[in-house]
Amino acid sequence: MSDTSTPDILADIQPLKAKPKPGKLFINGEFVDAQDGKTFNTHYPATANVITQIAEAGTEDVDRAVKAARAAFSEGSPWRKMNAVDRTRCLLKLAELMRANAEELSELETLDTGKPIFESSKFDVPQAAECFEYYAGWVTKITGETIPVSKGGDAFAYTLREPIGVCGQIIPWNFPLQMLSWKVAPALACGNTVVLKPAEQTPLTALRFAELTLEAGIPPGVFNVITGGGATGAALVEHEDVDKIAFTGSVETGKSIMRAASKTLKRVSLELGGKSPNLIFADSDLETAAKYALGGIFFNQGEMCTAGSRIFVEESGYDQFMSVLTSRAQKMVAGDPLHPKTRLGSLISEEHLNNVLNYVDIGKKEGAIVTTGGERIGTKGYFMKPTVLEGVTNSMRVAQEEIFGPVASVIRFKDAEEALREANNSQFGLAASIWTRDIKKAHKLARSLKAGTVWINTISTTDNALPFGGYKDSGFGRELGKSAIDLYTETKSVWVDLN
Ligand code: NAI
Ligand code: MG
């Protein structure tokens, strides 16, 4: 591929299934304009072309959506009266509809994000459907306990798990449909109602999903979508009648959400950024470690909260590991994200691309060496070469700050003690990886690493059954698995005097 124009493997793209139409707000089961008629554009990052216009929800629209969600949650509403088996059926039907419309959803996801259609169709969409299937199974298994109490003579005590109420959910642009599924599936499984705010860059799949909720038999008002930017999200957080906010995004926005939510004591769960260490020991299968390290940092153009962006490599395995990592990074070719062969797509926006490129400059000024990449590709869209920085030390900004793009910072280490100390020397604690054949070393490190997820001899994989979330500035609350049932229910203790 030439350096002056973006990818030429476009030739044989089939006509798209997706025909994006202007996006409206989804409130109480209907698509409506914003009250003041405001709209914004959503773009295809690979060409910067406008895809369509989207309604921008103002404070009054947010209020309308919250009122709809409140009414749908009221005592005796169809949703509250629906039994657990029927709620299971709704979630399974939703998953089935997502799979039936997978091609269209994948195209919409790629159009909005610029990620390869290969990823949208093989990962994003099927995994989102699977998340609904997983939580469909939970609906009939959300139970309280009977608990022996020792005070008060003869007593019978038990707990109930109840839905929290109206949940405001704010999601980012890097995995729009998957982040929707991680939040919406458990919230609905627990019997809550939802007002979802997708990221302003990527509203299309959430709006298509909204149509599917009606087809799946989910009553109007149970699931609502308000599109818009930070101000729309802030209005949702400020709203007095929202019971819980779940957020995935930047640390800065997470902090402002927590401050705003404190006024009404909303329940809050936050999944924020990361600067995840990937520890490569010389006794590991270095070839495999390098191959996976590549996916760990360059999958989804590096726009991943769990990106293995700090690669720590033990001195004695350094050259072997780096030769595989570098040569493979050089072979990664960007292309039109809609082409099935493309494995490296476009970054989300020009602003973000410039931020990422700026970090390469910062790294150079700090003394890092650009081994490969470091540049934009072409002038159309926001493509960037997979970038490897060597000679990085852990105190450099490129090792401490989240870049959220295809930039790996490589740091050498002498022994496990040094690796652990430096790995934990970070404001973040979302994930970490360890590559070694020594099981004692691996498990000892897994205990000592301050991260919500530790992978041993693998990287960047999640499962609906396994809790996911962060230590330190990476946030709090665990999504997925049974943990998400805790996030979306209140526990009530009931005490009966039998004397
Ligand atoms: P952001 O945190 O500002 O946006 C995420 C979501 O929050 C979007 O839906 C946005 O509209 C909403 N939002 C923004 N301001 C808000 C406010 N005051 N109240 C309520 N909602 C608000 O992230 P942004 O600006 O898109 O990206 C900036 C950086 O954040 C990235 O470069 C990356 O480092 C990090 N990030 C991390 C993500 C993760 O998965 N942990 C996802 C997206 C971004
Ligand atoms: Mg922002």
Side-chain angles (χ1 to χ4, degrees), residues 170-173 197 199-200 233-234 247 249-250 253 272 305 352 402 404:
I170 301 174
I171 54 173
W173 43 261
K197 199 206 77 67
E200 54 273 39
F247 171 73
S250 65
T253 301
L272 309 175
C305 50
H352 186 55
E402 183 173 52
F404 221 66

Side-chain angles (χ1 to χ4, degrees), residues 148-197:
V149 286
S150 45
K151 284 192 200 132
D154 195 6
F156 168 48
Y158 61 95
T159 59
L160 296 172
R161 295 217 72 119
E162 299 178 339
I164 294 177
V166 176
C167 299
Q169 304 185 319
I170 301 174
I171 54 173
W173 43 261
N174 55 342
F175 294 99
L177 196 60
Q178 278 199 74
M179 292 300 101
L180 174 155
S181 71
W182 286 21
K183 290 185 169 48
V184 176
L188 297 186
C190 295
N192 298 281
T193 60
V194 168
V195 179
L196 177 84
K197 199 206 77 67

